[in-house]
Amino acid sequence: MKFTIYRYDPDRDERPYLKDYEVTPDPADRMLLDALVRVKAQDESLAFRRSCREGVCGSDAMNINGRNGLACITKLADLPQHVTLRPLPGLPVIRDLIVDMTQFFKQYESVKPYLVNHEAPPERERLQSPAEREALNGLYECILCACCSTACPSFWWNPDKFVGPAGLLQAYRFLADSRDLASSERLDDLEDPYRLFRCHTIMNCVDVCPKGLNPTRAIGKIKEMMVKRAI
Amino acid sequence: MSVAPPVRRFDAIVVGAGGSGLRAALELARANFKVAVLTKVFPTRSHTVAAQGGVAAPLANSSEDHWHWHMYDTVKGSDYLGDQDAIEYMCRRATEVVVELEHMGMPFDRLENGRIYQRPFGGHTQDYGSAKMAMRACAVADRTGHAMLHTLYQQNVRANSQFFVEWMALDLIRDPQDGAVLGVTALEMETGEVSIFQAKATLFATGGSGRMFFSSTNAFVNTGDGPGMAARAGIPLQDMEFYQFHPTGVYGAGVLITEGVRGEGGYLLNRNGERFMERYAPNARDLASRDVVSRAMTTEIKEGRGCGPEADHVLLKLDHLGPEVINQRLPGIREIAIKFANTDPVREPIPVVPTAHYQMGGIPANYLGQVVAPEGASHEAIVPGFYAAGECACVSVHGGNRLGCNSLLDLLVFGKSSGEQMIRDLRALPRPHRNLTPDAGDLSRARLARLDAASSGERVADVYAELRKTMQAHCGVFRFPELLLEGVEKMKQIAARLGRVYIQDRSKIFNTARIEALELDNLAEAALATVVSAQARKESRGAQARSDFPERDDRDWMKHTLWYKEGNRLAYKPVHLKPLTVEAFEPKVRTY
């Protein structure tokens, strides 16, 4: 297989460039990450993040033939013989396929991604019905890989002002939690021309999410909650 | 050599931001201490994220249960090598730490009455080992670790914990006078700069070392960093021969398939379609302890009853649970099987093999997280300023074999207790920081300088591959005397080759080749400790199964191993057979 990979080491390179590699995957190699590990065995200077190699830690998000995804759960068999790899778009590049995710995490943290309930907790667990718990499915599973936000033109344009799909999915995860008592503060915080309303339902986020989650639907639900409380 | 590294001072530092590190950091941040959390990866990328089936706690939501039953199961599961005081401590605090996690927002699955959903898990029984399984595993579908890690990180965001993300700790700094731990050296990956992090209390929560095996459920980051740093600083490693092989790793890929599949009613089949666990464990069957199931599977395969053209795996059948249960309780497993095994478990069984999974041994610590090592007449003198929790520590609650769901419990209980102990110690000793000697960072600087200077030698990838193959072949589910002896020699040679490793990449910026070389140093310490300890222990107990000594030998071997890097030397210390408040569980023959 042929790999064309974005390379840039600010310590050495004046500007980024694309470098070609030929790799013969082993029959046991199943995923793109396996092939990348082989490329690195050829050229140890290639830098990328990876850890769990099963699609739960969110480290190895990258742009694969123009589309964001996780290398560890992208099957080699589903890829053409020539693969071009670039860093996630829209974020500053630190080196090669490694991007600076500061802005992404800042937006995540801005939605207060934690349960707020100032009532004294009971001695045992707070009760929640199976239906109330079900409302969190499709939300809590996010792995913060940033595939969605870095595929979103609104996030490219206003990364400092628009929360982005990943952050908004988590905002709704707590709005939807029957145990959380801060809904009205959460909605106040998002009622802003940028933070929530820069979403123009382009739905790139839904298209690329490697976990099959749907941030656009969550954003729609937040908008619904805002409308409901206004009337 | 370059100039001395800058010094950053904190009350406490936590190395590692998985479950135990985050739980401890939360305790410290809430007490308003100045804490630095150093982590190689962004916190939610830590390997706790991959835990699936649940966290054990005797909440008794679905079946009668009691912490004392849980304690019995854990002592028996450990094959009587676990310290009974620590096990009592863990089981008594289980309900508290799990309920607390629920209050923090953990999205546990629910029963109709609104309480936390619990499922059966291997080795967890009712009434001191009766044939009735306890429903003790508190679950978030099959994503319990993910939900836990994110919940703990979220609480740390709320508490304003200070993280140093993508900083790799390199070496411990000890006071040459009394051996007290004064902090660590650490490398910032983005810039390649080294700093000294000085603290009055240093916690290691660095996780496991599963990358030492060729076939492993572990993430790339699990390179035994804590044990490696501790060993280089003269601290022994305890019970490293006890390495758990999880029965159900995906054949070929190694990815974990939770025991929760069997908890929900799945079972294993050999090539004859036989439910073979009935022969090995008539009561618990597929929910026997992991060491028992892994040995049974390996025996089936060795005796020619494996599946597939090579007869080299067995099958995990769960289609009879129906799509509804699979989609609701095991959705992540379905996803993994489709992606990594090309099978949809709603219709077909999953091919599985025993796969390296969990290090029962580690840095010797007590149940308050304090690191202990022999000194003078004491087997367990406290190393001042040093704490360890989670998989990198050996408390020892897991002894020779860990029960499923006790690892997430371990990291909650001992993450919290070590945080609490660090707070007590910080309050009791309001002293200023000690003076560092001028050579405080020298070991790390010398290691880095050697890597920077070497222009030829051994390639990291080659030595790493050799290490993993050696451990896989010589220190697996069953252990043979000749293979162990050869394994020790091979690992010694591999450790010697590390001194000749070189890298071509000279960049300061996010130099992952350099990181991998530094990780390999740690992994090799853990691997050498494992095979040397295994070769020396002349008995079978828990995960250590020797062909030449097939029985447990309580008279000569009811003791903890301690491995020292210096001189590649072993020592032993007694097991704590006395619990805190209850009667001891006397060793019995272990059957399931």
Side-chain angles (χ1 to χ4, degrees), chain A residues 9 11 40-41 44 49 51 53 57 95 109 113 115 124-126 128 133 140 142 144 173 179, chain B residues 45 61 102-103 105 107 110 116 146 153-154 158 166 216 220 459 504-505 507-509 512:
Chain A
D9 176 359
D11 214 17
K40 192 167 170 64
E44 65 176 26
R49 294 187 176 106
S51 187
R53 56 90 174 95
C57 82
R95 175 175 170 175
E109 287 172 17
L115 192 84
R124 288 287 302 263
E125 65 263 51
R126 289 194 171 98
Q128 188 172 48
R133 165 60 183 79
Y140 81 91
C142 173
L144 300 177
R173 178 250 174 275
R179 300 168 296 174
Chain B
R45 321 268 190 241
N61 286 352
E102 192 284 325
H103 294 159
R110 299 292 172 154
I116 293 172
H146 170 277
Y153 178 64
Q154 290 160 356
R158 183 178 203 175
E166 292 174 338
S216 169
F220 280 96
R459 286 165 44 90
Q504 288 162 312
D505 189 350
S507 174
K508 300 281 276 178
I509 312 295
T512 49

Side-chain angles (χ1 to χ4, degrees), chain A residues 21 55 105 108 120-121 124 133 138-139 215:
Chain A
Y21 297 92
F105 289 124
Y108 166 71
R124 288 287 302 263
R133 165 60 183 79
L139 306 172

Side-chain angles (χ1 to χ4, degrees), chain B residues 155-432:
Chain B
Q155 290 299 313
N156 274 281
V157 168
R158 183 178 203 175
N160 260 322
S161 300
Q162 190 179 358
F163 287 97
F164 290 78
V165 175
E166 292 174 338
W167 282 74
M168 180 182 178
L170 300 178
D171 284 291
L172 264 184
I173 298 170
R174 299 183 76 180
D175 189 323
Q177 297 296 321
D178 62 353
V181 166
L182 305 179
V184 293
T185 49
L187 173 80
E188 184 181 32
M189 296 185 189
E190 188 176 335
T191 62
E193 298 301 327
V194 173
S195 292
I196 287 176
F197 283 73
Q198 189 178 359
K200 296 172 200 170
T202 299
L203 172 70
F204 272 12
T206 61
S209 58
R211 296 303 293 183
M212 74 170 76
F213 292 97
F214 182 76
S215 172
S216 169
T217 65
N218 279 214
F220 280 96
V221 292
N222 294 1
T223 52
D225 295 339
M229 287 187 275
R232 279 196 296 279
I235 288 165
L237 302 181
Q238 182 176 326
D239 293 343
M240 292 293 282
E241 63 271 43
F242 296 100
Y243 200 94
Q244 177 165 84
F245 292 81
H246 194 291
T248 56
V250 172
Y251 169 68
V255 176
L256 174 69
I257 299 288
T258 176
E259 193 170 306
V261 169
R262 284 169 285 142
E264 295 287 347
Y267 49 82
L268 297 163
L269 297 174
N270 63 16
R271 77 176 308 139
N272 303 326
E274 182 202 5
R275 193 172 172 186
F276 58 86
M277 279 313 299
E278 290 176 341
R279 276 188 278 121
Y280 296 87
N283 290 323
R285 296 187 290 182
D286 297 84
L287 287 177
S289 257
R290 287 180 179 172
D291 58 333
V292 174
V293 181
S294 283
R295 277 196 292 275
M297 292 168 67
T298 307
T299 304
E300 289 299 299
I301 292 167
K302 256 206 300 231
E303 294 181 356
R305 292 187 294 277
C307 304
E310 307 289 323
D312 55 356
H313 59 271
V314 301
L315 295 173
L316 175 61
K317 175 179 158 62
L318 65 156
D319 58 289
H320 57 283
L321 303 179
E324 202 170 305
V325 169
I326 292 174
N327 289 331
Q328 190 186 357
R329 301 295 182 202
L330 305 164
I333 287 312
R334 188 175 180 198
E335 206 179 308
I336 286 172
I338 291 171
K339 289 214 165 84
F340 287 92
N342 280 335
T343 56
D344 185 345
V346 165
R347 287 189 295 273
E348 311 154 283
I350 308 172
V352 291
V353 282
T355 304
H357 184 56
Y358 187 89
Q359 164 194 292
M360 266 77 72
I363 302 166
N366 62 25
Y367 59 80
L368 301 174
Q370 298 164 304
V371 174
V372 291
E375 196 188 296
S378 170
H379 291 295
E380 298 183 331
I382 290 166
V383 179
F386 194 25
Y387 308 79
E391 191 172 341
C392 77
C394 183
V395 175
S396 151
V397 283
H398 309 305
N401 169 68
R402 173 175 70 76
L403 295 187
C405 294
N406 269 356
S407 58
L408 291 188
L409 177 61
D410 164 338
L411 56 82
L412 286 177
V413 169
F414 299 115
K416 184 174 185 186
S417 73
S418 56
E420 290 167 343
Q421 184 60 34
M422 290 164 83
I423 290 168
R424 278 194 293 274
D425 290 348
L426 286 167
R427 286 189 177 138
L429 300 165
R431 53 186 156 81

